[in-house]
Amino acid sequence: MQGPVAASLPFSRARLTLVFVLAASLSLSLLLVAGRVLMTGRGIFLFLVWNLFLAVIPFAISTMLGTARGPLRARLLVPVGAAWLLFFPNAPYILTDLFHLERRAGVPLWYDLALILSCAWNGLMLAYASLADMQRLVQLRLGTGAGWAFATLALLLSSFGIYLGRYLRFNSWDVLANPLTLFFDIVNRILHPFSFPGTWGVTLVFGLFLLVGYGTVRLLGRAHE
């Protein structure tokens, strides 16, 4: 088999394999949530199902861009890329749901730990898979250095988004539903950084953690290749 069709097959097969593995991992998380509901009759962790749905959105967006071809992808890259960046923090945000871990009647602590870790793992893997897609698109147009600069900036911005979501209780929809309050809180923290040490502490620590993790995953993938 020759030509562009042959060249596109490895990406398609890799994408299908990745989607299958992520779907299986997400199914495990959903089964753990459902099992907890059946054991206790309470839906305490049902919010994790919604969080996982939000984490899937940036991966779906990056997959759409990755499979688009030629002029179509060029036209979509900026507006759809902006939408991707808006939803991207929802994926690593699930890591902070570990804050909800505590002893509760009816379920062993280890079960809740496995449940939350499973969801956090899926959020992290969806984030990294999606970011790898977007980095590849930037790299194809602007080079390797620009690709890594984009990935670093995206992870730092997502860490800032994690702070906004966890501590100020904003979400992606507030860009449209509550833009003035969101804008004021962001600008206030930028203009008075020393008044909000927690903001920049969370942003820097989570950003470095996500960046080191992402670099490790990419290096592992290249080593196997």
Side-chain angles (χ1 to χ4, degrees), residues 43-101:
I44 292 177
F45 287 125
L46 284 176
F47 70 89
L48 287 170
V49 177
W50 175 249
N51 286 354
L52 287 173
F53 169 75
L54 293 177
V56 169
I57 292 177
F59 179 71
I61 291 174
S62 67
T63 298
M64 181 188 71
L65 278 177
T67 54
R69 290 290 180 266
L72 176 62
R73 185 164 67 188
R75 290 195 298 269
L76 291 175
L77 188 58
V78 173
V80 177
W84 173 86
L85 188 60
L86 179 64
F87 284 97
F88 179 64
N90 291 310
Y93 172 85
I94 306 180
L95 290 171
T96 66
D97 285 325
L98 284 163
F99 288 172
H100 296 289
L101 181 64

Side-chain angles (χ1 to χ4, degrees), residues 5-143:
V5 175
S8 68
L9 280 178
F11 173 79
S12 299
R13 288 171 180 169
R15 174 61 48 171
L16 287 174
T17 302
L18 177 61
V19 169
F20 176 79
V21 172
L22 289 174
S25 187
L26 286 166
S27 297
L28 174 60
S29 294
L30 296 177
L31 285 173
L32 289 171
V33 173
R36 196 186 195 287
V37 173
L38 290 174
M39 283 188 286
T40 64
R42 304 176 63 189
I44 292 177
F45 287 125
L46 284 176
F47 70 89
L48 287 170
V49 177
W50 175 249
N51 286 354
L52 287 173
F53 169 75
L54 293 177
V56 169
I57 292 177
F59 179 71
I61 291 174
S62 67
T63 298
M64 181 188 71
L65 278 177
T67 54
R69 290 290 180 266
L72 176 62
R73 185 164 67 188
R75 290 195 298 269
L76 291 175
L77 188 58
V78 173
V80 177
W84 173 86
L85 188 60
L86 179 64
F87 284 97
F88 179 64
N90 291 310
Y93 172 85
I94 306 180
L95 290 171
T96 66
D97 285 325
L98 284 163
F99 288 172
H100 296 289
L101 181 64
E102 61 182 70
R103 292 190 179 276
R104 293 182 172 89
V107 176
L109 184 63
W110 61 261
Y111 187 94
D112 282 347
L113 175 61
L115 189 160
I116 298 174
L117 281 177
S118 172
C119 294
W121 170 264
N122 281 317
L124 190 60
M125 290 302 102
L126 285 165
Y128 286 166
S130 177
L131 181 58
D133 288 340
M134 298 302 293
Q135 180 182 355
R136 175 177 170 272
L137 293 176
V138 172
Q139 185 171 313
L140 287 173
R141 298 179 68 88
L142 301 175

Side-chain angles (χ1 to χ4, degrees), residues 100-222:
H100 296 289
L101 181 64
E102 61 182 70
R103 292 190 179 276
R104 293 182 172 89
V107 176
L109 184 63
W110 61 261
Y111 187 94
D112 282 347
L113 175 61
L115 189 160
I116 298 174
L117 281 177
S118 172
C119 294
W121 170 264
N122 281 317
L124 190 60
M125 290 302 102
L126 285 165
Y128 286 166
S130 177
L131 181 58
D133 288 340
M134 298 302 293
Q135 180 182 355
R136 175 177 170 272
L137 293 176
V138 172
Q139 185 171 313
L140 287 173
R141 298 179 68 88
L142 301 175
T144 302
W148 277 105
F150 168 81
T152 301
L153 181 60
L155 289 173
L156 289 173
L157 288 175
S158 73
S159 299
F160 184 65
I162 288 172
Y163 173 84
L164 293 176
R166 174 55 62 190
Y167 293 99
L168 301 188
R169 309 309 299 165
F170 287 111
N171 57 59
S172 300
W173 317 110
D174 284 315
V175 171
L176 298 176
N178 196 15
L180 292 180
T181 303
L182 175 62
F183 178 77
F184 174 80
D185 282 341
I186 292 174
V187 170
N188 194 31
R189 280 160 174 76
I190 293 174
L191 294 179
H192 307 96
F194 296 108
S195 298
F196 304 95
T199 302
W200 306 112
V202 169
T203 300
L204 181 61
V205 171
F206 271 84
L208 289 175
F209 169 76
L210 293 173
L211 182 59
V212 170
Y214 180 67
T216 303
V217 168
R218 294 300 302 270
L219 286 173
L220 285 172
R222 290 182 180 179

